[in-house]
């Protein structure tokens, strides 16, 4: 694995392990819970709301997806 790519994942996983990240994810989850509803949505605001929900879901999944990708890269290196 490229050293720069390894450092990228190590830094990301370090960030995701911090208390600040955990607090942020709690806030994002609360925002998602409040936003992921159709109450008050109009045809004009539907796409905007979909975008908000998509970004919040991406953020909430970032740590797990990064861990899986990094693990796969390490396994690929080990088998090469």
């Amino acid at each position: 694995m490229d050293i720069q790519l390894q450092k990228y994942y190590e830094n990301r996983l370090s960030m995701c392990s911090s208390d600040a990240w955990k607090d942020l994810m709690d806030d994002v989850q609360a925002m998602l819970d409040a936003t992921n509803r159709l109450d008050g949505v109009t045809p004009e605001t539907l796409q905007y709301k979909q975008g908000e929900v998509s970004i919040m879901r991406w953020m909430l999944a970032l740590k797990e997806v990064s861990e899986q990708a990094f693990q796969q890269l390490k396994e690929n290196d080990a088998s090469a």
Side-chain angles (χ1 to χ4, degrees), residues 1-65:
M1 178 185 332
D2 180 313
I3 297 297
Q4 187 175 358
L5 183 59
Q6 180 177 346
K7 188 72 173 163
Y8 170 83
Y9 278 105
E10 289 172 350
N11 287 339
R12 174 165 291 177
L13 295 176
S14 176
M15 174 189 70
C16 290
S17 297
S18 73
D19 288 339
W21 181 261
K22 292 172 189 166
D23 290 342
L24 177 61
M25 291 304 98
D26 289 343
D27 291 344
V28 170
Q29 184 63 58
M31 289 171 56
L32 178 61
D33 294 343
T35 304
N36 196 16
R37 294 186 166 87
L38 292 175
D39 298 341
V41 173
T42 65
E44 293 79 24
T45 62
L46 180 60
Q47 287 183 329
Y48 181 80
K49 186 173 280 269
Q50 286 174 319
E52 287 180 314
V53 168
S54 177
I55 290 167
M56 287 183 256
R57 287 183 176 157
W58 173 79
M59 288 182 71
L60 290 166
L62 185 62
K63 180 179 179 184
E64 183 178 342
V65 169

Side-chain angles (χ1 to χ4, degrees), residues 61-72:
L62 185 62
K63 180 179 179 184
E64 183 178 342
V65 169
S66 296
E67 288 171 339
Q68 291 172 358
F70 191 39
Q71 184 63 37
Q72 184 65 44

